[in-house]
Amino acid sequence: MGTQLKVASPLLLTDEQIKTFITDGFLILQTDFSEKFYETLNTRLRTVYEEEGNPGNNLLPRIPELQKVFDHPIITGALTSVLGSDYMLHAHRHGHYNASPEAGGWHKDSYWGYQRMRNHHPWWAMIMYFPQDTPVELGPTGIMPGTQNYETRIFQDDDTEEEALASGKAGTFALIHYDIWHRATANVLGEPRFMLKFEFMRTKAPAAPSWAHEEQTWSKPSSAQALPEQHDVMWEDTWNWLAGKVGSLAGTKPKEEAEVQALVHQLEDEYEPRALNAAYELACSGKHGVYELLQALYHENVRVSRLAAYGLSIAGPEAVPGLISALENGRPKTVVHAAFALGEQGPQAAKAVSQFIQCLRHPSEKVRRTATEVLSMIGEPSEEVVRGLGQCLEDSDVQVRFMAGLSLARLGPTAAAAVPSLEKALNDENRYVRAHAAEALRYIGTEQAKDSLIQFLFNSRWCPTTTPANTFYP
């Protein structure tokens, strides 16, 4: 699981916490280390930042105390609950230092090493960890609840009473949907404030609930009433998806033709939440709704095409033939959107595998990137799939190579034939390609894969006490 060894059984999230994560997009949780631990951790952080600067992706080896944080059962339980037990720690991590009296700008994080269509289902998550007491005056991270599935910033004012603050005692952390809008708030005290950001990825679509699951049916948590908009279909589908039910709402909300056409018109609404609800409602309204979403994939407005893809991603087998046909469209955006929807369908889209293998040679790098990921999301490994993904490790586009490593990791032992290609990728010029090649070798787990990984790690081994001021002794 991840890149860490377990030292305690994970403390899984409850139904109510999972519901809140689905609707609000985040949870504020707390680890319970001793005051001495936090004192040591903060001393080490200040020393490293003052003497060496930000260690960037080397945050864990340079601050080894942090490994205990990510072995903590509250942390492992939260991540397991949302991402499954085989979640992966991304190679990018960052220690944010904030001493500014001015708030930062609202934003969504980019995907390091990969430009991609953002998932509504939680395939990625982040933890923002605060190692010191972080009152409001010290500038905690601000989070805009319920905005994880919006491309646009729907709120107008920078400062709004709806903003949630990741404020609390040392050991507080925010578990967030990767795509939620957030910012740094003003540090009016001017004292050091660290926020340690780590990214995590799901390696398998859920087959069953991975949290402390007791309730079988969806109901909204009380916090959802305060959100800027309500997304009942999207939220229920995500709950079901996390329980291993793909396309569970397809055809469950049949509508008359006039209702369908009203939703088609709403799909073009400039206000994203209304248009998003229309896409999800159409996906559940039967054949007529699915037909209209398939037509919308070709809409001249790329935003409408993207929204249609989100709807089609939950529309079940009814949408699959039309989505496969869309893969032959000449407009790369249409192909990307159709591919995204098929990937979210998982094994239901198995008939599309041969087309995706062809897409690995598409002239558009955006199509190749998406096809590379989708092949692992469909989860139908074959010699041809593994061979194609292995060849993607030598693609001219760095993001195709990066995604190929993650996809091979998701395929696990069935991707053993790609080990020689992964060995070559360990020498790639890009740090994230190298990192995902190493992860793939770990998840494949054959003797050859493990030998190659051990040699790579041995050659690149890190000494956590070597610094510019202390190069070799003692």
Side-chain angles (χ1 to χ4, degrees):
M1 174 178 172
T3 57
Q4 60 267 7
L5 297 174
K6 292 292 163 279
V7 296
S9 298
L11 297 176
L12 301 177
L13 298 178
T14 65
D15 283 329
E16 193 67 17
Q17 287 173 313
I18 285 290
K19 290 176 182 178
T20 301
F21 183 84
I22 289 171
T23 59
D24 296 28
F26 73 99
L27 294 170
I28 304 298
L29 302 169
Q30 177 81 37
T31 54
D32 56 356
F33 292 103
S34 67
E35 291 185 11
K36 180 64 175 177
F37 174 82
Y38 294 120
E39 180 181 336
T40 300
L41 177 56
N42 281 287
T43 298
R44 178 70 69 97
L45 280 165
R46 286 193 294 270
T47 300
V48 169
Y49 273 69
E50 290 170 2
E51 296 182 358
E52 306 165 33
N54 193 320
N57 289 343
N58 285 326
L59 187 61
L60 264 178
R62 193 65 196 91
I63 315 290
E65 291 83 0
L66 278 175
Q67 189 59 62
K68 293 182 180 179
V69 170
F70 290 99
D71 288 339
H72 194 287
I74 293 290
I75 297 273
T76 61
L79 291 168
T80 295
S81 298
V82 170
L83 299 178
S85 61
D86 291 325
Y87 65 82
M88 182 188 297
L89 172 60
H90 195 291
H92 172 68
R93 62 291 305 259
H94 193 74
H96 288 265
Y97 176 84
N98 177 24
S100 174
E102 298 183 3
W106 288 101
H107 65 281
K108 289 173 176 270
D109 278 17
S110 63
Y111 289 85
W112 283 87
Y114 187 34
Q115 295 174 355
R116 62 195 306 281
M117 189 166 167
R118 297 177 184 270
N119 301 95
H120 291 174
H121 295 148
W123 282 90
W124 293 55
M126 273 196 295
I127 280 181
M128 298 175 169
Y129 190 80
F130 295 86
Q132 72 284 299
D133 289 352
T134 309
V136 172
E137 296 80 7
L138 197 60
T141 298
I143 301 168
M144 191 54 65
T147 60
Q148 63 273 18
N149 296 322
Y150 304 151
E151 292 289 325
T152 54
R153 180 181 145 175
I154 67 167
F155 51 96
Q156 299 301 315
D157 296 332
D158 283 346
D159 298 311
T160 171
E161 62 182 13
E162 286 80 21
E163 180 178 9
L165 300 177
S167 175
K169 302 293 290 182
T172 296
F173 69 96
L175 171 68
I176 69 171
H177 186 294
Y178 189 87
D179 298 322
I180 203 163
W181 286 87
H182 61 279
R183 67 170 181 170
T185 59
N187 182 348
V188 298
L189 299 180
E191 299 173 1
R193 188 281 271 163
F194 291 99
M195 184 275 282
L196 311 177
K197 183 186 75 176
F198 288 78
E199 304 174 14
F200 300 86
M201 296 166 290
R202 175 181 285 279
T203 60
K204 293 183 178 66
S210 55
W211 68 96
H213 183 56
E214 295 182 357
E215 299 180 32
Q216 298 304 310
T217 57
W218 165 256
S219 61
K220 283 191 290 190
S222 58
S223 62
Q225 303 303 325
L227 296 178
E229 298 293 342
Q230 301 294 294
H231 298 286
D232 293 333
V233 175
M234 181 169 62
W235 293 338
E236 184 177 1
D237 170 76
T238 301
W239 166 268
N240 291 345
W241 183 84
L242 281 168
K245 303 172 185 176
V246 177
S248 62
L249 300 183
T252 60
K253 302 178 186 296
K255 293 176 176 59
E256 299 294 331
E257 182 63 24
E259 295 176 290
V260 170
Q261 292 306 313
L263 289 171
V264 171
H265 180 72
Q266 186 178 322
L267 196 61
E268 300 182 14
D269 197 304
E270 290 296 324
Y271 185 57
E272 186 179 7
R274 281 195 292 268
L276 193 58
N277 276 341
Y280 275 89
E281 287 283 350
L282 285 167
C284 301
S285 60
K287 291 184 179 181
H288 294 307
V290 172
Y291 171 82
E292 293 294 350
L293 286 172
L294 287 168
Q295 297 308 302
L297 273 181
Y298 304 94
H299 200 286
E300 61 183 9
N301 186 329
V302 173
R303 183 183 65 85
V304 175
S305 175
R306 175 175 54 79
L307 288 167
Y310 284 122
L312 290 164
S313 72
I314 74 160
E318 182 72 36
V320 171
L323 287 168
I324 293 175
S325 296
L327 295 178
E328 300 175 2
N329 184 268
R331 188 176 74 166
K333 279 291 185 183
T334 298
V335 179
V336 167
H337 293 159
F340 170 87
L342 285 165
E344 290 285 1
Q345 296 265 12
Q348 294 182 150
K351 292 181 180 179
V353 167
S354 60
Q355 283 89 336
F356 279 121
I357 291 174
Q358 295 177 25
C359 285
L360 297 180
R361 298 184 292 275
H362 197 281
S364 167
E365 67 275 5
K366 293 180 180 179
V367 171
R368 300 200 305 275
R369 293 169 190 169
T370 306
T372 302
E373 178 174 23
V374 166
L375 279 169
S376 67
M377 295 172 71
I378 292 176
E380 293 288 331
S382 66
E383 290 184 11
E384 195 174 7
V385 168
V386 173
R387 181 167 58 252
L389 292 175
Q391 292 169 351
C392 286
L393 290 167
E394 299 183 19
D395 195 278
S396 59
D397 181 73
V398 66
Q399 296 181 36
V400 173
R401 303 200 302 274
F402 167 88
M403 199 62 241
L406 176 57
S407 288
L408 289 165
R410 286 175 172 167
L411 295 181
T414 61
V419 168
S421 297
L422 289 165
E423 290 173 342
K424 294 179 182 178
L426 292 174
N427 295 311
D428 195 278
E429 63 183 5
N430 181 273
R431 69 188 72 188
Y432 299 115
V433 175
R434 297 194 300 271
H436 269 183
E439 289 284 4
L441 290 169
R442 185 170 69 89
Y443 278 86
I444 290 170
T446 63
E447 288 302 313
Q448 182 183 359
K450 288 188 285 188
D451 288 345
S452 299
L453 179 59
I454 289 170
Q455 186 64 47
F456 169 71
L457 296 175
F458 183 80
N459 291 343
S460 58
R461 62 193 181 280
W462 176 280
C463 174
T465 57
T466 297
T467 69
N470 179 19
T471 55
F472 58 85
Y473 182 83

